[in-house]
Amino acid sequence: MTPPSAHPDAEPKQRFRWGLAITIALVGVGVTVLGSLLFGEEDPDAYWASAIVNLGTTIFLASSLVWVERVLVNRVRVTTRKVATDAADEAATRAAKAATEQTVEALMPRLDDLDQRLRDRQNSVADEVATRAAKVGESGSFENLHSALSDADALNALARPRQGEDAWSTRGVEVIVPAGDGLSAPRIVTTLVPDGPGRTRTLTLSYENAGRAHRRAMATWVEGESPEDVFVKLQEAMIAEGLGSRSRELSVRVFFENLAGVVGDAILARRAADGAWLSGSPVIELVSNGLAITTEGVDARGVDGHAAERAQFGSYDSRVVSNIVGYRVSHDPPDGVTNEAWLSALGRATGHYVHQSTRW
């Protein structure tokens, strides 16, 4: 194992061959002495002078060659090391790039598949809850209605119970729908009472009177009771309040059809499902087919967002009774909405938004 202090590029040391060096030196001395015996007898001084000059020249050349050799070796070594390093870096880069491309190629199909699975799951869930809501219009059972309203409650798709003189809960959801054909049909508020420990699952139906005091006539619906039972109780409560003629106008069939439709549409809009026509704001009231009041504005089928924003309805002037200031909603209906339905929606929305004692 290489010690931590050792340089990673250090060359291994080689043993100096003393025997070879001594042999070469002795051979050189022998050749010089032999030359003196053979050629230096006539003029020894000239021979040794020449020998010394040759020896100095040889030493100079040898040292020069050694220096040049070292320089060349170092340059070759640096160049070789750089080429090897560049080649290794390039190979590593190519390998990393290839690995990344393989990883991306392997992941992309799975990610694309994941996106499709998520879209399919969202559509499946939206279809499932819409189907549960649609069952309300088919059977009108307590179980189906409670399940649909619970789905809407979990998504905040419907308005919370109103605040003010007729408030009784700060939890749960409620929605208003016509219980008959036409804009003048009686309107019923359906409220989901939140579940709690030791509390019976409960719904309430109450007669809605132009956005105010909708608890004047109310019926409590508990599990096990039929739709007929609860509507009999509601009619009796309306009769007791002097609303006998209005009670005779109630249509249970239309009520459940409208309720199933608006709850399903509100859930689909909240989930931003394909084909949803509502804006996604919690729904307060279904005015007519394709026209609804939400907590943030009036929605109309075919209009993106709100056909009329809540802020456009202004507020009551505290100095003058019943005087609304800041009202700037156009009375021209959107495409596909009748003038009568639009004016009815604006009147009812004004009651929901502006009246100080009944507001969401």
Side-chain angles (χ1 to χ4, degrees):
M1 183 175 180
T2 304
S5 59
H7 195 280
D9 296 331
E11 295 291 337
K13 293 184 178 181
Q14 298 182 356
R15 294 178 58 189
F16 186 75
R17 303 177 66 179
W18 288 101
L20 179 60
I22 293 172
T23 300
I24 293 174
L26 291 176
V27 170
V29 172
V31 171
T32 303
V33 172
L34 181 61
S36 173
L37 295 175
L38 295 176
F39 306 107
E41 292 181 354
E42 297 180 357
D43 191 357
D45 293 337
Y47 176 82
W48 286 106
S50 177
I52 292 171
V53 170
N54 289 334
L55 178 60
T57 302
T58 301
I59 293 173
F60 173 75
L61 291 175
S63 62
S64 298
L65 288 174
V66 170
W67 179 80
V68 170
E69 183 267 343
R70 287 296 180 187
V71 171
L72 291 175
V73 169
N74 287 335
R75 288 186 177 179
V76 170
R77 183 179 299 142
V78 170
T79 302
T80 302
R81 187 181 298 118
K82 185 176 184 304
V83 170
T85 301
D86 292 345
D89 290 344
E90 184 178 356
T93 301
R94 286 199 302 268
K97 183 178 180 181
T100 301
E101 290 176 351
Q102 291 177 355
T103 301
V104 171
E105 290 176 358
L107 284 178
M108 283 306 294
R110 285 183 288 174
L111 292 178
D112 290 342
D113 189 45
L114 176 59
D115 288 341
Q116 185 60 46
R117 290 201 304 273
L118 287 176
R119 285 192 292 268
D120 291 343
R121 183 182 181 282
Q122 288 178 333
N123 292 334
S124 176
V125 172
D127 291 341
E128 181 182 346
V129 294
T131 299
R132 285 202 294 267
K135 290 181 179 179
V136 174
E138 297 172 0
S139 66
S141 70
F142 175 92
E143 187 63 38
N144 288 339
L145 180 53
H146 192 280
S147 176
L149 292 178
S150 296
D151 289 336
D153 187 13
L155 297 176
N156 294 322
L158 300 177
R160 296 299 177 187
R162 69 190 67 188
Q163 302 169 357
E165 64 183 33
D166 50 1
W168 65 276
S169 174
T170 58
R171 299 180 57 195
V173 290
E174 67 179 29
V175 64
I176 306 169
V177 299
D181 297 319
L183 295 172
S184 62
R187 294 178 179 269
I188 302 301
V189 182
T190 304
T191 304
L192 171 69
V193 180
D195 294 339
R199 182 183 300 170
T200 303
R201 294 198 302 170
T202 304
L203 301 171
T204 63
L205 303 182
S206 53
Y207 175 73
E208 205 281 333
N209 183 23
R212 300 194 60 191
H214 67 263
R215 290 190 68 217
R216 288 174 57 193
M218 184 186 74
T220 300
W221 192 2
V222 297
E223 193 170 8
E225 289 184 323
S226 68
E228 181 180 355
D229 293 336
V230 71
F231 266 88
V232 168
K233 289 194 294 185
L234 179 60
Q235 285 181 318
E236 291 300 319
M238 293 176 67
I239 292 170
E241 294 291 340
L243 300 169
S245 61
R246 295 294 280 169
S247 70
R248 297 179 67 86
E249 298 175 17
L250 293 177
S251 170
V252 178
R253 176 187 61 81
V254 176
F255 165 77
F256 279 111
E257 288 177 354
N258 287 336
L259 188 59
V262 73
V263 172
D265 288 341
I267 291 174
L268 291 176
R270 198 68 173 177
R271 288 187 171 274
D274 296 337
W277 65 273
L278 287 165
S279 63
S281 299
V283 175
I284 298 173
E285 177 176 359
L286 176 68
V287 178
S288 63
N289 184 28
L291 189 61
I293 302 170
T294 74
T295 58
E296 302 301 326
V298 180
D299 290 356
R301 191 187 301 273
V303 178
D304 293 334
H306 303 297
E309 300 283 347
R310 177 172 183 165
Q312 295 176 304
F313 286 84
S315 60
Y316 274 118
D317 187 350
S318 59
R319 299 167 298 179
V320 181
V321 178
S322 300
N323 183 40
I324 299 177
V325 295
Y327 187 92
R328 56 185 189 280
V329 181
S330 173
H331 285 187
D332 295 329
D335 293 340
V337 179
T338 65
N339 187 66
E340 183 183 10
W342 181 243
L343 293 179
S344 176
L346 297 186
R348 301 189 67 81
T350 300
H352 293 319
Y353 298 150
V354 180
H355 199 284
Q356 295 178 349
S357 63
T358 55
R359 59 185 182 277
W360 276 261

